[in-house]
Amino acid sequence: MTEDTIKRRARGLDRAFDILDFLKEVGQPLRPNDIASGIGSPKSTVYELVASLLERRILEPVGKEGHVYLGRQLYFLGQAHLRHFDLSREADHALQEIVSQTRETAQMCLLNGRKYTVALMKEGERHFRISSDIGENAPIPWTASGRLLLAHLSDQEIVDLIDEDDFILPGGERLPLERFLAEIRQAGIDGFFSFDSVADTFTHCFAAPVKDPSGVAIATLCIVAPRADAKNNYNDYRRVLIDSANNLARRINE
């Protein structure tokens, strides 16, 4: 296989993942034309890749007007991944333990490229419910977890990673870069970060890192609680969360 062939196949693989990521973001079936426009790729290339992905059941046809969407083969691949992914399996137990001790909603969160996502969630044992969509991407600066997940990066690497518009918070104000970087450095020292959620006016978010053997945060465990309860139980929630994150790290790194 020539070097040019290898490079062409690599570009095709990148485009195929662009298609899958775009459909996941949009959350609904689309025609190949619309996909091509959305990812900025030639229509001929997208049609060819869509045909290949359909053949392998990575995509599936929807309706009679040429729409396609994520296929069930992705589900089976995901299940195979979970059977051998210790972090996900062990984190599920950790979240349940957090909920049993605090009665609050618990989450495991990750970076997804240049964004943040909730990978797992256990609802709290109270009438108050946290609305959060698992797998939905959010700007990293909007999150408590983001301060911890970026702590191993240099200032320049952080600037290069985050889209400029992601520093604009939901209320329209801009988060100053200097403040964001300072919070990241302090969170890295403390092994913990919490703040009143910028996405709503009712909750306070706690986050603690789950670190790999080299000390890099590969995930976070989080508690999302009503602000009044977070204030009244701050020290207990902080202790439970840090202990749970450290215990999870020990289990998956053994």
Side-chain angles (χ1 to χ4, degrees):
M1 188 180 298
T2 67
E3 185 175 347
D4 285 344
T5 300
I6 293 173
K7 288 181 178 178
R8 283 198 302 272
R9 290 191 175 184
R11 286 195 295 270
L13 185 60
D14 285 341
R15 287 299 189 190
F17 279 111
D18 287 343
I19 291 170
L20 300 179
D21 287 340
F22 184 65
L23 286 170
K24 172 181 171 291
E25 271 186 39
V26 173
Q28 63 182 28
L30 294 173
R31 296 186 182 91
N33 276 354
D34 298 322
I35 296 172
S37 297
I39 66 174
S41 185
K43 293 179 182 179
S44 58
T45 300
V46 170
Y47 271 98
E48 182 178 346
L49 288 171
V50 165
S52 180
L53 293 170
L54 285 169
E55 182 180 347
R56 289 164 174 78
R57 292 177 297 164
I58 301 298
L59 295 179
E60 291 184 353
V62 178
K64 299 179 180 179
E65 298 182 1
H67 291 74
V68 298
Y69 196 59
L70 304 175
R72 67 192 69 186
Q73 185 65 16
L74 292 172
Y75 171 79
F76 296 123
L77 292 172
Q79 290 299 305
H81 168 70
L82 288 175
R83 285 195 295 272
H84 297 278
F85 187 36
D86 287 342
L87 175 58
S88 180
R89 183 171 59 249
E90 294 291 345
D92 189 73
H93 298 306
L95 296 182
Q96 189 58 61
E97 183 62 23
I98 292 170
V99 172
S100 69
Q101 293 187 60
T102 67
R103 299 181 65 238
E104 305 292 359
T105 294
Q107 301 173 337
M108 182 183 77
C109 304
L110 306 167
L111 291 183
N112 182 20
R114 302 161 70 89
K115 304 293 181 180
Y116 150 98
T117 191
V118 177
L120 292 173
M121 182 170 70
K122 294 289 184 183
E123 289 280 5
E125 296 175 352
R126 54 163 70 240
H127 295 301
F128 182 86
R129 286 291 178 263
I130 305 296
S131 60
S132 181
D133 292 330
I134 294 176
E136 182 177 342
N137 288 333
I140 296 171
W142 293 15
T143 69
S145 292
R147 273 74 173 171
L148 295 159
L149 293 168
L150 301 183
H152 65 289
L153 299 179
S154 69
D155 288 359
Q156 189 58 54
E157 287 172 327
I158 292 168
V159 171
D160 292 341
L161 175 68
I162 297 178
D163 294 327
E164 184 66 22
D165 288 346
D166 285 357
F167 287 102
I168 301 175
L169 302 178
E173 69 276 22
R174 176 176 287 275
L175 175 64
L177 176 61
E178 296 76 13
R179 174 180 155 194
F180 183 58
L181 293 174
E183 289 174 345
I184 290 172
R185 299 306 165 216
Q186 191 61 51
I189 294 170
D190 296 339
F192 174 81
F193 190 80
S194 81
F195 68 173
D196 286 342
S197 171
V198 300
D200 66 57
T201 58
F202 305 105
T203 61
H204 188 90
C205 303
F206 301 77
V210 179
K211 296 182 178 181
D212 68 12
S214 67
V216 173
I218 57 174
T220 59
L221 296 185
C222 308
I223 292 173
V224 185
R227 290 185 181 180
D229 294 287
K231 181 179 180 181
N232 292 335
N233 300 285
Y234 187 91
N235 290 331
D236 285 340
Y237 289 2
R238 185 180 190 274
R239 174 187 53 80
V240 168
L241 193 61
I242 292 175
D243 287 348
S244 296
N246 289 339
N247 290 337
L248 175 57
R250 280 193 291 270
R251 291 198 299 273
I252 64 174
N253 292 328
E254 287 178 349

